Amino acid sequence: MNTPFTDIPDPYKIKSLLHQTSYLVGGELKQWKGNTAEVFSTISSTQDYKPTLLGTIPQLGEKEALEALNAATLAYNKGQGLWPTMKVVDRIACMEKFVEQMKTKREEVVKLLMWEIGKNLPDSEKEFDRTVDYIYDTIEAYKQIDRDSAKFEKNSGVYAHIRRGPLGVVLCLGPYNYPLNETFTLLIPALIMGNTVIFKPAKLGVLLISPLMEAFQSSFPRGVVNIVYGRGRVLATPIMQSGKIDVLALIGNSKSANALQAEHPKGNRLRMVLGLEAKNPAIVLPDADLDLAVEECITGTLSFNGQRCTALKVLYVHESVVEEFNRRFAQQVDRLKFGNPWEPGVKLTPLPETEKPDYIKALIEDASHKGARILNKKGGETSENFIFPAVLYPVTKAMRVYKEEQFGPVIPVISFSDIDEPLDDMAASDYGQQVSLFGKDIHTLSPLIDTLVNLVCRVNLNSSCQRGPDVYPFTGRKDSAFGTLSVHDALRSFSIRTFVASKDNDYNNGILNELLKRKTSNFISTDYIL
């Protein structure tokens, strides 16, 4: 398959390279004079295929990693720092300042999302806008938490003033598939709750942080946000080994999370907020609306080429409808348009990982050797930076594509006669994030739903798996997650309940009244944020 070449519209052309020459530590954009790494796009800007050089990033070392750690530790200052003790309204003001500056960089960030990770234009714009909305929603949720805390409780003769306090220093590592949105769903709640942060951008989607560096520097006190560039193992390992990290916030792979957790000398003190891999199934029952099921499964399996933890990665279809489902599904897959991200109507785009086409090809070949067929005509057609989605059937447990989280454009289909077959597979799986359930008979659905909610954390009825809306919990069982993310839940994940207690007597009550009257404490306050 040849990659289609079209003239690149002027707004999306790479007119100059972006050389990120600085990193943010201790409130200072420090100039880097050492080794750098080139950042390439798998999208070609020439008629004859050739990866496109986008720019360079610093390759920091252990010294710079520990420098960032020390800056974050100093800013937290054993809980005495300006940021953790700051009034809620003042932290909110800093966040509002940041998001207002962030909005001015929309065009640059969207362009880099397309070039760096191959995300199409509508989805790149959606990722930016959704992130801005997430920040505003987080601010509002934090206001509500503070309003609910602006009071005293009394029980058994003891007054309590209960609030949520920060945890300390956070190491934040985001994913390449949503390098802005999912990274910020960790970074923003961690910051606004009063923690200080060391943030390393993902391996892909790294340059798009560059337009936001000055906003981070100017919006937050010194050392509150520290941004470092380089290899994760080089930077994160010494940071974790120091024992000074209180929270590991990571969206990525469970192997990486386990390895980093093991480096921390006091694992019992380490709070983890992890969004990890998944192998989300769809279950298509005999009475499913096949038009709807096919449409949702196309979205679920191939949005952003299937490079989502929430993607549908295996389809269980009842044997009575599997032939018809496969016929319709394969036809719909072949109708999807492949092209560069800015082209109108494009659904499939170049893969950002150079090794991914060969990996997907290996999965297809393994399945084919073990009895699976490619159902769609274009399935497996390969170019330098893409492999067209292959619908594989029948898939068995002996195949790699059944076991591995493919994170790319290949769709295994399994037929079943007894509903216990997919249920047993889900129970045995290492993952437990979501499932899509297609059907309409309530007597069939009811016991299924009651079981599935104990195997995964979200059951999508007649719709594809997804993260949003962001106000809903986002988590998983087993190797799929640790902690819960949503606008509200993330604020809780990055904080802890803490309170001041005092016995109900004239002596203590006089002190409390004086504290409230004079407003000398940022913690003890009944002020109501409007």
Side-chain angles (χ1 to χ4, degrees):
M1 185 181 72
N2 293 321
T3 303
F5 175 82
T6 58
D7 291 332
I8 301 170
D10 191 66
Y12 310 128
K13 287 180 179 176
I14 299 298
K15 298 176 181 177
S16 60
L17 299 183
L18 199 171
H19 296 294
Q20 180 58 43
T21 58
S22 61
Y23 60 102
L24 179 60
V25 168
E28 180 184 349
L29 285 170
K30 298 198 170 189
Q31 292 301 306
W32 176 247
K33 304 294 185 182
N35 292 335
T36 61
E38 292 180 322
V39 179
F40 284 93
S41 170
T42 60
I43 300 170
S44 180
S45 55
T46 59
Q47 180 71 52
D48 297 322
Y49 180 78
K50 183 182 179 182
T52 301
L53 179 64
L54 301 178
T56 57
I57 56 169
Q59 288 294 96
L60 305 180
E62 181 176 341
K63 176 185 174 183
E64 291 74 32
L66 295 178
E67 181 185 18
L69 173 64
N70 290 336
T73 304
L74 182 62
Y76 193 73
N77 192 22
K78 305 171 188 173
Q80 302 172 59
L82 172 64
W83 187 247
T85 60
M86 187 179 285
K87 287 183 178 180
V88 171
V89 289
D90 294 333
R91 281 207 296 265
I92 287 173
C94 291
M95 191 62 72
E96 288 173 334
K97 180 180 179 181
F98 170 78
V99 73
E100 288 302 312
Q101 292 184 49
M102 175 182 169
K103 288 192 294 186
T104 67
K105 304 298 183 180
R106 182 179 189 268
E107 185 177 322
E108 296 171 65
V109 174
V110 167
K111 179 178 175 180
L112 286 166
L113 271 167
M114 290 190 291
W115 278 98
E116 286 197 82
I117 64 170
K119 187 165 288 188
N120 68 29
L121 177 58
D123 285 349
S124 295
E125 292 174 331
K126 181 181 177 182
E127 178 163 350
F128 187 93
D129 296 339
R130 180 182 176 186
T131 305
V132 170
D133 290 341
Y134 179 89
I135 297 174
Y136 283 125
D137 289 344
T138 299
I139 290 170
E140 287 305 312
Y142 189 29
K143 286 180 179 179
Q144 189 57 53
I145 288 174
D146 192 75
R147 292 172 191 139
D148 294 341
S149 302
K151 62 183 180 181
F152 280 82
E153 299 179 17
K154 184 180 178 183
N155 198 304
S156 301
V158 177
Y159 280 111
H161 188 57
I162 307 169
R163 291 186 174 277
R164 298 203 70 86
L167 295 166
V169 180
V170 178
L171 176 61
C172 180
L173 305 169
Y176 82 78
N177 58 336
Y178 288 89
L180 183 73
N181 182 258
E182 290 207 344
T183 298
F184 276 39
T185 62
L186 301 174
L187 187 61
I188 297 303
L191 284 172
I192 205 168
M193 292 308 297
N195 303 285
T196 61
V197 174
I198 305 152
F199 162 46
K200 191 196 85 67
K203 63 176 182 176
L204 303 171
V206 57
L207 285 175
L208 59 85
I209 299 299
S210 298
L212 306 176
M213 293 284 280
E214 289 185 5
F216 277 117
Q217 181 201 25
S218 64
S219 300
F220 300 99
R222 294 172 62 89
V224 170
V225 183
N226 304 276
I227 301 176
V228 293
Y229 295 90
R231 295 184 60 194
R233 184 171 296 180
V234 172
L235 300 179
T237 300
I239 289 174
M240 292 298 289
Q241 287 174 341
S242 73
K244 295 179 181 180
I245 290 297
D246 299 293
V247 185
L248 173 62
L250 179 149
I251 296 179
N253 186 274
S254 58
K255 291 181 181 178
S256 299
N258 291 338
L260 285 172
Q261 182 187 3
E263 295 289 351
H264 199 288
K266 295 186 178 181
N268 61 298
R269 286 170 49 175
L270 180 67
R271 174 80 69 93
M272 291 182 294
V273 183
L274 309 174
L276 305 172
E277 65 264 37
K279 188 82 173 176
N280 293 335
I283 300 174
V284 181
L285 299 174
D287 64 341
D289 180 329
L290 287 189
D291 288 335
L292 176 62
V294 167
E295 179 184 354
E296 290 291 330
C297 286
I298 290 286
T299 300
T301 56
L302 292 174
S303 287
F304 191 41
N305 303 315
Q307 299 167 121
R308 302 177 302 124
C309 66
T310 56
L312 288 173
K313 298 192 177 80
V314 59
L315 308 181
Y316 290 92
V317 186
H318 192 269
E319 61 182 11
S320 64
V321 294
V322 69
E323 286 190 18
E324 182 63 15
F325 176 89
N326 284 343
R327 183 184 67 80
R328 298 190 200 183
F329 186 78
Q331 288 177 350
Q332 287 294 98
V333 169
D334 275 350
R335 291 192 185 113
L336 297 175
K337 181 180 178 181
F338 170 67
N340 284 324
W342 44 81
E343 294 177 36
V346 160
K347 298 296 183 184
L348 305 171
T349 54
L351 298 169
E353 294 179 288
T354 55
E355 68 277 12
K356 186 56 68 75
D358 285 343
Y359 169 71
I360 297 297
K361 185 177 180 180
L363 292 182
I364 294 170
E365 289 175 350
D366 173 78
S368 298
H369 291 155
K370 294 172 181 174
R373 292 176 290 112
I374 301 175
L375 298 186
N376 56 318
K377 293 178 181 178
K378 295 182 183 179
E381 291 183 6
T382 308
S383 67
E384 294 88 346
N385 58 3
F386 188 69
I387 183 165
F388 201 89
V391 183
L392 300 177
Y393 177 82
V395 166
T396 68
K397 295 178 183 179
M399 299 173 187
R400 288 178 58 192
V401 74
Y402 171 83
K403 304 169 189 173
E404 299 176 22
E405 187 203 25
Q406 63 267 41
F407 218 75
V410 58
I411 305 118
V413 181
I414 300 173
S415 70
F416 70 93
S417 58
D418 187 330
I419 192 60
D420 281 340
E421 295 170 40
L423 293 181
D424 289 345
D425 288 352
M426 290 175 67
S429 171
D430 288 332
Y431 311 115
Q433 188 195 78
Q434 298 186 34
V435 64
S436 290
L437 179 61
F438 295 92
K440 63 182 178 183
D441 180 73
I442 62 167
H443 299 293
T444 302
L445 291 173
S446 296
L448 259 181
I449 289 171
D450 291 350
T451 299
L452 289 170
V453 293
N454 296 324
L455 295 175
V456 296
C457 289
R458 175 167 170 164
V459 177
N460 299 277
L461 185 58
N462 292 309
S463 66
S464 61
C465 296
Q466 57 191 298
R467 174 171 179 146
D470 286 324
V471 296
Y472 292 157
F474 180 58
T475 186
R477 298 173 183 269
K478 296 183 275 191
D479 287 345
S480 286
F482 192 101
T484 302
L485 294 172
S486 71
V487 172
H488 176 76
D489 289 313
L491 294 171
R492 296 177 60 85
S493 292
F494 287 102
S495 63
I496 190 168
R497 295 185 86 198
T498 182
F499 66 101
V500 174
S502 66
K503 291 183 178 179
D504 179 15
N505 56 48
D506 292 341
Y507 183 69
N508 283 338
N509 293 348
I511 294 172
L512 291 177
N513 282 323
E514 195 70 8
L515 282 168
L516 292 170
K517 179 181 177 182
R518 304 222 177 245
K519 299 186 177 181
T520 52
S521 169
N522 290 343
F523 185 90
I524 296 180
S525 172
T526 55
D527 290 348
Y528 191 89
I529 300 177
L530 297 175

